[in-house]
Amino acid sequence: MTGANLTGYGGARSGHVAYLPAVFQAYRAAEGRIRLTSDGADETQPALSPDGDSVAYVRVEEGQSDVYLLSLISGATTRLTYTPAADEETPVFSPDGAWIAFASDRTGDWDIYRVRADGTGLAAILAQPGAHEQHPAFMPDGRRLAFSWSATGGGDIYIGEIGSVSVSWARLTDHPAADRFPTVSADGRRVAFRSERDGNSEVYIMDADGTHVQRLTTDPEFDGYPTITPDGSGVVFAAARDVYLVNAGGAATTRIEGEPALEVDTPRVSPDGQWLIYAGRTLGEDYDIYRRPFDSPLAAVGQRGVTLLEDRCEWEAGTLAYGWVHAWRATGDMRYLDWTQAWIDGCIARHPTLAHVNDGLLGYAALAVYAERGGAARLAFADQVADYLMHDAGRTADGTLAHEGDTVWDDTLLSTVPFLAEMGRVSGDPAYTEEAARQVILHAAHLQDSTTGLYHHAWDESADAFLGPSYWGRGNGWALLADVEVLKAMPAAHPSRPQVLEIMRRQATGLRLLQDASGLWHTVVNRPDFYLESSGTALIGYGLAEGAARGWLTEARDGDAARAASAAVWRMIAADGAVRGVSAPTGPMQDEALYNGIPHQTLQRYGQGVALLSGSPTGH
């Protein structure tokens, strides 16, 4: 993809943390480990409240454990339970912060209780005589809990409504070995747990209905106490006196806390994803509660993109910004929007000349920031981009936006359709949405193969022939992405909606049949002898995931393909967020063999951006 190459500058991390008091924002900026307790007893199993103002934890003294609450505002400690002859464990906050659930063996069996944050309202909420209910984890609705259940050894994972009886519980696992310590993703779609089903305690993850079980760790050490990052991009767990992080593909496992003199355990991630909280001790001493800054695997991908900007304002950086905007909207993490704002404000300040369809990506970033934070200069710039695309950009005789001269490329769908759809949404003018839909339909008429549903790279109007006849993987991803953007923007009764859906479904069927067993697609999707490529896979996987989540495609086929693609992309992402296996910028070529010669060993700005699409939650 080629086009305008304007100079600008890249944004820096702001360190913005919305929900914590200013004093703790300062602590995060200092990037340091903070000890929160030091009471001369073992304090462990901490959990941060949704607003970040308090920590629930277990205090163990003279062999007996109770649940306590520490205010991070006042420093005051409140004892929530007092059971001299029993133990409590694993406290967790309800999504609204009003309740703390925990397990207790005060009746002889382990049952699950809850108590208000002020110590009132104590009651059993899940209890079956003669069995053990432990390790509660709230579902997002606050009415149900995931938990582990056992009668005689072993254990399985269940979901039950608060106050319900066992016959109504949904059983997620059924294995002779012990499945325990579930944790639920923020969107409620995934459950992580530890299991001994392979002869050693390892960390697994599955869908919230018990399907698609995936093993994330393979270490001979004990791996346990998992917690899913709020953005769903990884799982934090304890192993061998340290805390580790593994990404959603089971790759890039790295130690994130621990050292020879410090033993750490029972990690949790704050609800906003900014902090890691855990129990730690100098060997031989008591456990205390600690907190330190935390970045998820997804945030690492976004941050790695910042380092690649190199003062550029062009389509590659614009694709990165598109990914930042998607990640912000999917996760609520304002750092992504901060990076986008810093980048596009710098570009606007340089007064770029609009001269190529690729400049639509700059307009998209300006409009996204304007819609959230205002700014007359951002809106004025977006209006200029819209005016250029609607009235001045080159077109073929039938009105298709041209990429170079009178040639039509699938690349143009990336740089124009998302911006036009966003412009329609922000301005309320349906003309922009109409134009976005028209470009999807026109590009399909020129580039989509009627038999396979796949897209050729480029078409030459003058020659009435394909300039790039190959089914280039990243280009097919651009096309599928454009379908998603238009369908999200279109009213349900729009007359062109059935046509766009048919375009998307034909392409999805053709792509699904060509997915490699690894989950990746080849750089030319129908050439299994060509190399496997990450960016096209991220785009295709995102399009299939959105289509399945929104009912445009089928969950059983397209959803499974999307899950395999996402896991495969994560396996190509290093611990520092670098996305590997991304082909370099690629123009249309008549000789298909040349596509296999495009380098794919160097990090690319657009590779970081599209990985943010594949790696963050869908359906937003």
Side-chain angles (χ1 to χ4, degrees):
M1 189 170 187
T2 60
N5 186 10
L6 310 171
T7 57
Y9 78 100
R13 173 175 170 177
S14 71
H16 178 73
V17 183
Y19 82 106
L20 286 175
V23 64
F24 291 113
Q25 292 185 37
Y27 285 156
R28 178 171 173 83
E31 300 291 321
R33 176 197 298 158
I34 304 297
R35 188 168 72 176
L36 301 179
T37 66
S38 56
D39 292 339
D42 280 326
E43 288 139 344
T44 186
Q45 301 178 5
L48 265 171
S49 60
D51 61 9
D53 289 347
S54 55
V55 179
Y57 62 96
V58 169
R59 189 171 191 265
V60 183
E61 191 171 16
E62 297 181 355
Q64 188 270 328
S65 58
D66 280 298
V67 177
Y68 284 72
L69 188 69
L70 168 66
S71 169
L72 298 182
I73 303 299
S74 67
T77 299
T78 303
R79 185 173 187 169
L80 300 182
T81 68
Y82 184 72
T83 52
D87 286 307
E88 273 80 48
E89 65 174 19
T90 58
V92 290
F93 281 92
S94 61
D96 63 3
W99 296 92
I100 297 165
F102 61 95
S104 175
D105 66 353
R106 61 185 64 192
T107 65
D109 301 325
W110 284 97
D111 298 313
I112 295 175
Y113 292 74
R114 72 176 180 184
V115 64
R116 290 192 179 92
D118 62 3
T120 64
L122 177 68
I125 55 174
L126 284 173
Q128 179 184 355
H132 301 300
E133 295 77 44
Q134 295 174 271
H135 318 134
F138 277 98
M139 301 297 289
D141 59 20
R143 296 181 292 102
R144 295 174 298 151
L145 290 167
F147 58 97
S148 56
W149 179 95
S150 63
T152 56
D156 284 298
I157 308 301
Y158 286 75
I159 292 178
E161 188 165 351
I162 290 172
S164 64
V165 294
S166 58
V167 293
S168 64
W169 299 343
R171 186 173 189 168
L172 304 189
T173 68
D174 186 1
H175 199 280
D179 296 338
R180 297 177 180 174
F181 289 97
T183 183
V184 180
S185 64
D187 60 10
R189 297 179 182 179
R190 303 280 273 165
V191 176
F193 62 100
R194 80 158 181 87
S195 177
E196 298 172 358
R197 60 184 61 191
D198 292 311
N200 181 53
S201 181
E202 303 288 355
V203 174
Y204 290 75
I205 195 166
M206 61 183 169
D207 287 353
D209 61 0
T211 61
H212 302 106
V213 178
Q214 175 189 359
R215 180 175 173 175
L216 293 180
T217 66
T218 57
D219 194 90
E221 295 284 352
F222 176 95
D223 297 331
Y225 211 81
T227 179
I228 302 175
T229 62
D231 60 20
S233 67
V235 174
V236 173
F237 63 96
R241 303 190 308 190
D242 295 319
V243 175
Y244 289 79
L245 173 64
V246 60
N247 74 27
T253 301
T254 182
R255 187 176 68 179
I256 58 172
E257 185 60 285
E259 55 194 45
L262 185 71
E263 181 177 357
V264 296
D265 201 5
T266 61
R268 295 282 186 187
V269 179
S270 63
D272 74 341
Q274 303 279 313
W275 300 92
L276 178 71
I277 190 165
Y278 57 92
R281 67 177 179 181
T282 303
L283 298 185
E285 301 296 327
D286 295 323
Y287 277 106
D288 290 309
I289 307 301
Y290 288 83
R291 183 180 57 190
R292 51 151 287 178
F294 174 78
D295 287 316
S296 72
L298 189 71
V301 173
Q303 289 172 334
R304 193 69 178 87
V306 173
T307 68
L308 299 175
L309 278 173
E310 298 177 354
D311 296 338
R312 303 290 294 276
C313 287
E314 30 71 286
W315 77 268
E316 297 183 38
T319 307
L320 172 59
Y322 178 84
W324 282 336
V325 171
H326 173 90
W328 157 59
R329 288 176 173 165
T331 68
D333 188 336
M334 300 302 288
R335 287 177 295 175
Y336 300 108
L337 189 61
D338 292 342
W339 296 329
T340 306
Q341 176 180 329
W343 173 72
I344 193 58
D345 283 356
C347 293
I348 293 171
R350 294 173 183 267
H351 305 290
T353 300
L354 303 177
H356 197 276
V357 289
N358 285 350
D359 296 331
L361 286 162
L362 280 73
Y364 179 90
L367 197 59
V369 177
Y370 167 79
E372 178 68 13
R373 294 177 171 171
R378 297 169 192 140
L379 180 59
F381 180 76
D383 283 336
Q384 292 173 28
V385 175
D387 186 67
Y388 169 74
L389 292 179
M390 296 292 282
H391 303 295
D392 299 328
R395 294 173 184 259
T396 62
D398 65 359
T400 309
L401 285 166
H403 202 84
E404 299 284 0
D406 62 354
T407 63
V408 175
W409 299 16
D410 48 21
D411 307 63
T412 307
L413 290 168
L414 159 75
S415 55
T416 61
V417 170
F419 168 68
L420 291 169
E422 184 81 354
M423 195 70 186
R425 183 185 70 83
V426 174
S427 70
D429 187 343
Y432 296 112
T433 306
E434 291 294 328
E435 182 63 16
R438 190 164 78 105
Q439 290 305 316
V440 165
I441 292 168
L442 288 170
H443 276 76
H446 291 304
L447 299 175
Q448 189 176 33
D449 182 78
S450 60
T451 301
T452 64
L454 303 176
Y455 278 68
H456 301 281
H457 193 166
W459 174 75
D460 187 331
E461 182 182 43
S462 298
D464 191 19
F466 290 116
L467 177 65
S470 297
Y471 300 132
W472 177 47
R474 190 158 63 235
N476 272 269
W478 299 143
L480 202 57
L481 171 68
D483 295 342
V484 169
E485 289 284 5
V486 165
L487 288 169
K488 286 195 298 185
M490 271 183 169
H494 193 285
S496 296
R497 191 175 185 86
Q499 188 174 2
V500 176
L501 281 169
E502 177 59 22
I503 288 169
M504 182 186 203
R505 288 166 179 165
R506 284 195 291 121
Q507 187 192 18
T509 298
L511 288 168
R512 196 175 60 243
L513 295 173
L514 296 171
Q515 188 175 25
D516 184 73
S518 67
L520 298 166
W521 275 270
H522 297 269
T523 192
V524 173
V525 294
N526 64 332
R527 290 297 301 266
D529 53 328
F530 284 15
Y531 63 79
L532 295 163
E533 203 272 337
S534 297
S535 67
T537 298
L539 287 160
I540 295 168
Y542 166 71
L544 296 179
E546 285 283 351
R550 295 176 184 272
W552 305 330
L553 302 175
T554 62
E555 172 59 32
R557 296 191 302 271
D558 300 295
D560 283 352
R563 277 184 286 271
S566 180
V569 171
W570 276 116
R571 288 192 290 271
M572 299 297 290
I573 298 177
D576 67 353
V579 184
R580 301 166 296 185
V582 176
S583 61
T586 305
M589 296 174 283
Q590 286 286 339
D591 184 355
E592 189 166 82
L594 295 176
Y595 285 87
N596 198 37
I598 296 293
H600 55 285
Q601 295 81 26
T602 304
L603 298 186
Q604 305 290 346
R605 290 180 284 276
Y606 54 85
Q608 300 298 127
V610 299
L612 291 169
L613 305 182
S614 177
S616 53
T618 61
H620 65 280

